[in-house]
Amino acid sequence: MPEPYRSLLVHDGDMTSRLESFHGGSVILNVIERRSSRDVLFREVLLQLAQTCRPVEYAAIEIELSCLSSDARAEVLVGRKPLGGILNEEKIPYSSRPQGFFSLCAGERLSRLLDCAPEAIVYGRKNRLFVGSDKVLATIVEILPP
């Protein structure tokens, strides 16, 4: 995987702080779609630079709400901040364990969302966030624009 994608994706931290550091500014959450059932929230999101609204990540994420404190759960349900930012603000201990990495052709839908050409190659990862040693908090597919 070429740089800067390797540095942005191959790590065991959260993407929110990694993207903010790389781009030199805060990111905001744009929820594209959201579904929930009982204690599970699924959402498709774009992380965008706060100053320009330029997309810096597309993600599909399934969040196990029962793993969160009531304050963090309320923040996640409001949908204004990225999950990584909420976990860091609330000082919730978690671990990130990437499951795999990939590249693909953006195609029509991703090219619209990430503001790139449909034939552009994009890079991503499948990741899991854990609380404790074995409780899955979130399963995420994260894709970066070219």
Side-chain angles (χ1 to χ4, degrees):
M1 179 180 306
E3 290 294 347
Y5 307 103
R6 177 176 298 281
S7 296
L8 290 169
L9 293 167
V10 183
H11 60 86
D12 59 2
D14 72 279
M15 286 297 289
T16 304
S17 57
R18 182 69 54 125
L19 289 167
E20 288 177 337
S21 177
F22 179 79
H23 291 287
S26 60
V27 297
I28 56 174
L29 183 72
N30 177 359
V31 177
I32 300 165
E33 183 179 338
R34 167 193 163 116
R35 295 186 307 270
S36 62
S37 63
R38 294 183 55 152
D39 281 337
V40 177
L41 173 66
F42 170 83
R43 61 187 186 191
E44 270 186 282
V45 300
L46 278 179
L47 296 185
Q48 299 171 292
L49 290 177
Q51 294 176 331
T52 64
C53 290
R54 187 182 77 159
V56 295
E57 180 189 274
Y58 162 84
I61 181 169
E62 184 178 276
I63 304 167
E64 180 60 50
L65 297 170
S66 64
C67 292
L68 299 170
S69 66
S70 58
D71 288 345
R73 183 181 184 141
E75 284 286 331
V76 167
L77 290 171
V78 167
R80 290 193 189 114
K81 297 177 186 174
L83 178 61
I86 294 169
L87 295 174
N88 293 333
E89 284 177 11
E90 296 288 327
K91 297 181 178 24
I92 297 170
Y94 66 94
S95 62
S96 174
R97 299 182 201 157
Q99 307 291 298
F101 304 92
F102 58 88
S103 64
L104 55 91
C105 189
E108 292 299 323
R109 185 163 190 271
L110 271 178
S111 69
R112 280 192 311 277
L113 293 170
L114 295 175
D115 193 25
C116 64
E119 63 275 5
I121 300 299
V122 294
Y123 293 88
R125 73 178 184 172
K126 180 181 178 193
N127 190 26
R128 283 196 171 154
L129 300 181
F130 290 82
V131 290
S133 60
D134 62 349
K135 181 70 174 161
V136 177
L137 164 63
T139 302
I140 317 162
V141 173
E142 301 162 303
I143 301 174
L144 303 179

